[in-house]
Amino acid sequence: DFIEVRGETRRRIKGCRAGTSDYFILKREEPIHEDRAIFIELKGEGGKQSDEQREFQSLVEAQGTEYYTIRSIEELEETLG
């Protein structure tokens, strides 16, 4: 199991550093056949990133990789479009 539920809202991904995004997506881009790495953090309307999540985002973006904080299905569809 990679996710441990604590109460109704808190989760921790075992084996990963604190602040790791909720999802990692590797998307094949056509027709160039290159993969696109995308880190996704899901938040509700009023949800805020923790200090650890902001630090993880900085590390990801420093490597030239995409990181998004997503607050709606529409935003997710647009990001992955």
Side-chain angles (χ1 to χ4, degrees), residues 5-66:
V5 177
R6 291 185 178 188
E8 293 181 9
T9 59
R10 297 191 61 136
R11 302 189 307 233
R12 184 175 54 144
I13 300 172
K14 293 181 181 181
C16 295
R17 62 178 287 147
T20 299
S21 63
D22 293 320
Y23 294 96
F24 170 72
I25 299 167
L26 193 57
K27 183 178 179 194
R28 172 68 39 112
E29 293 293 325
E30 299 293 343
I32 57 176
H33 303 291
E34 287 187 15
D35 293 330
R36 178 178 164 202
I38 307 166
F39 288 86
I40 302 283
E41 180 65 35
L42 301 178
K43 294 289 181 194
E45 280 187 37
K48 297 181 181 180
Q49 286 181 299
S50 67
D51 290 340
E52 291 89 354
Q53 289 169 331
R54 284 191 295 276
E55 181 182 344
F56 182 80
Q57 179 179 359
S58 293
L59 291 170
V60 166
E61 291 176 337
Q63 298 300 314
T65 305
E66 297 175 64

